[in-house]
Amino acid sequence: MSTTRPMLTQREAAEAGLLRAGEAPDGARGELVELLVWAVAAGLLDVVRARVIADESRNGARESAERAGVSAVTWRQRRSRTVRQLRPIADQWTQAA
């Protein structure tokens, strides 16, 4: 996870249920998990929704959804809704940093 924002730790992300055992995200995924933990702690995002977003951002999530019958169009719509929901939260996160 990002070293430029010392607010959060992997332990906090794991406790929130956003990481699987032994998972150590970095790069964009690490920043997303950091944003999700901050948003939950700030009361801006429900922990259940944060867990869904974290799960959907894992490698292979789209393929798993397709195997479960989720169409590519539905997947894109989900991702678009997620981006719309996170955009104002990310703005607040950057202002708080």
Side-chain angles (χ1 to χ4, degrees):
M1 299 214 286
S2 173
T3 57
T4 59
R5 291 193 173 107
M7 296 178 203
L8 310 171
T9 66
Q10 280 187 264
R11 183 184 53 73
E12 291 169 316
E15 287 173 0
L18 304 177
L19 296 177
R20 294 181 180 154
E23 185 179 10
D26 59 359
R29 173 136 164 75
E31 288 186 11
L32 173 63
V33 169
E34 193 171 328
L35 169 64
L36 294 174
V37 174
W38 179 86
V40 168
L44 300 172
L45 188 64
D46 179 84
V47 70
V48 174
R49 179 68 180 130
R51 288 176 186 150
V52 169
I53 294 168
D55 287 343
E56 289 178 347
S57 70
R58 285 191 173 86
N59 285 334
R62 190 178 118 227
E63 293 80 6
S64 294
E66 286 177 359
R67 284 192 298 275
V70 176
S71 73
V73 170
T74 299
W75 181 261
R76 281 193 302 276
Q77 290 171 339
R78 283 184 187 176
R79 303 311 305 149
S80 292
R81 278 192 299 272
T82 298
V83 168
R84 276 194 307 275
Q85 183 180 18
L86 290 180
R87 191 170 285 128
I89 293 171
D91 288 341
Q92 291 180 43
W93 184 49
T94 56
Q95 290 172 7

